[in-house]
Amino acid sequence: MSTRDNFAVRVKRTLANRAAHLCSNPACRKLTTGPHSDPEKALTTGHAAHIHAAAPGGPRYDVAQEPSQRKGVANGVWLCRECGDLVDKDEVRYPAELLLRWRADHELFIAEVCSKGYARSIRLLQAQAVAPGVAKRLFDVLEDKRLFWVRFDADCPGRVLESLGQLRASIVALRVEVVGTPLDQVLAAFNKTILVFYDRVERYDLRCLSCDERDPAWCEFRDALAELRKSTGFQLAPLVEIYGLQVSAELRGMLPTQPTPSVS
């Protein structure tokens, strides 16, 4: 007699339909059904994955679950075969909390797609698919902007202003690729944060400003830059967690130690 609490066919069908037969991994979103070479058949490559394992010793097994919970819809997430294999082979990197968030975010996305016309649905789907790459490119740009991590007196204010102008141009270009997605909203908020910095220091000629703790203008610039770094860290920290980004030690020092907000 099997000791596994496997999903019934009905549960698998429900999970597939709720995900619109798309992989729920936000970095994948592969379509998992399509035509077979036999005109009388369809090809299915999706996988109803257990969030908490179906049997003891499996990935993310929860001894507190009842068998009915373990084989219920709430304990499943629809993935392509590759992602299903991936999450079960590395349960540390893919904990239950992450899989639950994947499913919830994906179902919200599908609900939005269902309420839009076909053309907009395709654009949204494409934008969601490229979002992880766009997030990585944003952090690649930040790695090149030392204003976010060097000592306040290590970079001249004029260069900071020039660097922020280049960063804003990069943000505008990145937003074009993710229009209408949660990442687009994060980028828009980041851009506004930079504008707040501009507003605080606009009355000073930063090209002539030098480090002097006795100068009120320098102190205002320093404090505004510190607030920009803090706000940026809180805004962008969820991207590191959601998309699994590798961040340098310098930039990681700008992020809060336990980022809790989510992009939704």
Side-chain angles (χ1 to χ4, degrees):
M1 181 176 179
S2 174
T3 58
R4 288 181 54 85
D5 293 312
N6 293 321
F7 292 135
V9 172
R10 174 190 60 81
V11 172
K12 294 179 181 179
R13 185 182 302 116
T14 299
L15 287 168
N17 288 339
R18 289 183 65 86
H21 288 269
L22 296 171
C23 179
S24 298
N25 181 350
C28 180
R29 292 271 164 81
K30 182 184 296 180
L31 183 62
T32 63
T33 190
H36 192 280
S37 57
D38 183 338
E40 299 296 322
K41 296 181 181 180
L43 186 65
T44 301
T45 59
H47 173 58
H50 279 76
I51 294 174
H52 294 288
R60 299 170 298 276
Y61 182 76
D62 183 0
V63 67
Q65 277 189 325
E66 295 291 334
S68 59
Q69 295 174 309
R70 200 169 287 121
K71 55 188 177 182
V73 172
N75 191 42
V77 58
W78 188 258
L79 299 170
C80 68
R81 293 289 179 182
E82 291 82 358
C83 290
D85 189 45
L86 189 68
V87 301
D88 281 351
K89 287 183 176 177
D90 192 351
E91 60 182 297
V92 174
R93 185 168 185 176
Y94 301 100
E97 295 77 15
L98 178 62
L99 301 188
L100 286 166
R101 185 165 66 239
W102 278 6
R103 189 187 67 195
D105 289 348
H106 183 70
E107 289 184 356
L108 283 174
F109 168 69
I110 294 302
E112 182 177 1
V113 168
C114 287
S115 69
K116 308 296 182 182
Y118 178 77
R120 176 165 169 76
S121 298
I122 293 299
R123 289 196 299 271
L124 279 171
L125 186 59
Q126 291 172 333
Q128 288 280 13
V130 303
V134 169
K136 181 182 183 305
R137 281 156 54 199
L138 172 64
F139 273 86
D140 287 344
V141 171
L142 292 177
E143 295 279 3
D144 193 44
K145 304 301 178 188
R146 46 187 273 140
L147 69 96
F148 286 103
W149 45 271
V150 297
R151 296 191 326 269
F152 294 119
D153 60 353
D155 210 354
C156 68
R159 189 176 297 128
V160 168
L161 197 63
E162 178 183 350
S163 187
L164 284 175
Q166 295 168 352
L167 177 57
R168 288 193 64 211
S170 296
I171 292 172
V172 170
L174 291 173
R175 288 188 65 191
V176 171
E177 301 183 46
V178 290
V179 173
T181 67
L183 181 55
D184 183 24
Q185 298 171 18
V186 171
L187 293 174
F190 184 22
N191 201 30
K192 288 181 181 179
T193 297
I194 297 174
L195 291 178
V196 170
F197 172 83
Y198 281 166
D199 289 342
R200 285 191 61 176
V201 301
E202 66 177 350
R203 63 183 180 275
Y204 305 116
D205 185 353
L206 298 187
R207 294 169 299 179
C208 301
L209 194 62
S210 58
C211 174
D212 185 350
E213 295 293 336
R214 298 166 298 176
D215 183 356
W218 164 259
C219 293
E220 178 71 13
F221 166 81
R222 178 202 61 202
D223 293 346
L225 183 55
E227 187 61 31
L228 172 63
R229 291 180 178 182
K230 179 180 177 181
S231 297
T232 298
F234 275 102
Q235 288 173 329
L236 302 187
L239 304 183
V240 176
E241 181 182 358
I242 290 170
Y243 298 122
L245 302 178
Q246 298 298 316
V247 180
S248 69
E250 291 83 3
L251 277 184
R252 190 166 289 279
M254 178 185 68
L255 305 178
T257 53
Q258 291 185 327
T260 55
S262 63
V263 179
S264 61

